Amino acid sequence: MNAERVPLSLRSREAMTKTTTCVYHFLVLNWYIFLNYHIPQIGRNEEKLREFHDGGRSKYLTLLNLLLQAIFFGVACLDDVLKRVIGRKDIKFVTSFRDLLFTTMAFPISTFVFLVFWTLFHYDRSLVYPKGLDDFFPAWVNHAMHTSIFPFSLFETILRPHNYPSKKLGLTLLGAFNFAYIIRILWRYVQTGNWVYPVFDSLSPLGIIIFFSAAYILVAGIYLFGEKINHWKWGAIAKPQMKKN
């Protein structure tokens, strides 16, 4: 259908949708930029939070996820702007990277952090978030780190379609991230003798292996769930594009 034949009202709605998406991505990006700057500054001079700042961002999945979300929404903003300036066909690499980043990491990991944190928190908060942290981290910071991350990611799945890679590639990339983070946790334990999360203190070596295995099964299930949501909402629009050389 030629652009001239598209009703003006439809074109206006499409333009409004694109503008709304662009504004949404920009606002969420700035929110995550703020969190990535503000949270690491909390209690820097407090002796009780020395463990929190020792090793910084790379040892806590929560903080890694905040950085990941900022990167994703930054790429999404770039994609929005370039599509308006250059055109859809000329930025396929940026769009493909945006989709790969969201489908294999941003959505699964944010949902995983949300589910696991609040499950353990309500079971026994001392396993993941000791009560003493409330003296330094206001409730809004806790929810910014562990609650709002899920609705932001879920809304992204229904805001626009995302092309999923093959299941083999998607689960492999997710597994590689999972393995790298496990190595980071174990390496820090070997160096310091302390676990990043108190929950590991209550587990035997076999229990830790089972925990890590269950964690990957859960995050893989979340990845597949995200793919189902994407297909349910967008259907054939977002089917994986498999090309052979």
Side-chain angles (χ1 to χ4, degrees):
M1 181 179 291
N2 294 330
E4 291 80 2
R5 296 183 180 180
V6 177
L8 181 60
S9 59
L10 179 58
R11 279 184 282 170
S12 297
R13 286 198 298 271
E14 290 178 348
M16 184 175 296
T17 299
K18 292 179 181 179
T19 301
T20 301
T21 300
C22 187
V23 171
Y24 169 74
H25 285 153
F26 178 74
L27 292 176
V28 178
L29 170 62
N30 280 274
W31 169 246
Y32 278 120
I33 290 175
F34 165 71
L35 292 179
N36 276 281
Y37 170 77
H38 176 70
I39 293 174
Q41 306 303 318
I42 296 176
R44 270 195 171 280
N45 299 321
E46 297 287 344
E47 180 63 25
K48 292 182 179 179
L49 290 184
R50 185 176 61 84
E51 180 68 17
F52 173 75
H53 293 289
D54 181 22
R57 188 186 305 274
S58 65
K59 69 178 180 180
Y60 290 111
L61 186 59
T62 294
L63 297 185
L64 283 174
N65 178 61
L66 293 180
L67 179 61
L68 172 63
Q69 299 304 317
I71 293 173
F72 165 71
F73 280 100
V75 174
C77 278
L78 178 63
D79 182 72
D80 293 336
V81 172
L82 291 180
K83 278 179 179 176
R84 286 176 171 271
V85 176
I86 300 177
R88 185 180 300 272
K89 293 183 179 180
D90 297 320
I91 61 163
K92 288 183 178 179
F93 173 78
V94 177
T95 302
S96 297
F97 179 65
R98 179 207 69 188
D99 287 347
L100 187 67
L101 188 61
F102 179 75
T103 58
T104 63
M105 297 185 70
F107 178 77
I109 293 173
S110 62
T111 306
F112 175 84
V113 170
F114 169 78
L115 290 175
V116 173
F117 175 83
W118 286 114
T119 298
L120 292 176
F121 184 92
H122 288 296
Y123 173 73
D124 182 359
R125 66 172 295 174
S126 65
L127 296 176
V128 288
Y129 198 82
K131 193 171 180 59
L133 293 178
D134 292 342
D135 297 333
F136 303 97
F137 296 89
W140 74 265
V141 172
N142 186 18
H143 286 294
M145 292 189 293
H146 302 112
T147 305
S148 63
I149 55 175
F150 175 64
F152 282 147
S153 288
L154 184 61
F155 186 65
E156 176 67 21
T157 65
I158 62 177
L159 184 66
R160 58 164 32 155
H162 296 85
N163 284 320
Y164 270 72
S166 66
K167 286 184 174 62
K168 181 179 180 180
L169 176 59
L171 293 175
T172 297
L173 292 175
L174 190 58
F177 177 86
N178 188 69
F179 181 73
Y181 185 63
I182 290 174
I183 294 299
R184 174 70 178 97
I185 291 177
L186 295 177
W187 178 250
R188 187 178 185 282
Y189 176 74
V190 170
Q191 286 186 315
T192 67
N194 297 317
W195 289 108
V196 172
Y197 300 104
V199 64
F200 294 123
D201 287 324
S202 61
L203 298 176
S204 65
L206 178 60
I208 293 174
I209 293 174
I210 294 174
F211 184 94
F212 284 144
S213 300
Y216 177 70
I217 293 173
L218 175 59
V219 78
I222 293 171
Y223 169 84
L224 297 175
F225 177 65
E227 187 178 34
K228 289 292 185 183
I229 294 177
N230 191 64
H231 181 73
W232 167 76
K233 179 65 173 67
W234 301 104
I237 297 176
K239 284 184 178 179
Q241 301 296 319
M242 299 298 295
K243 294 183 179 180
K244 294 182 179 180
N245 292 329

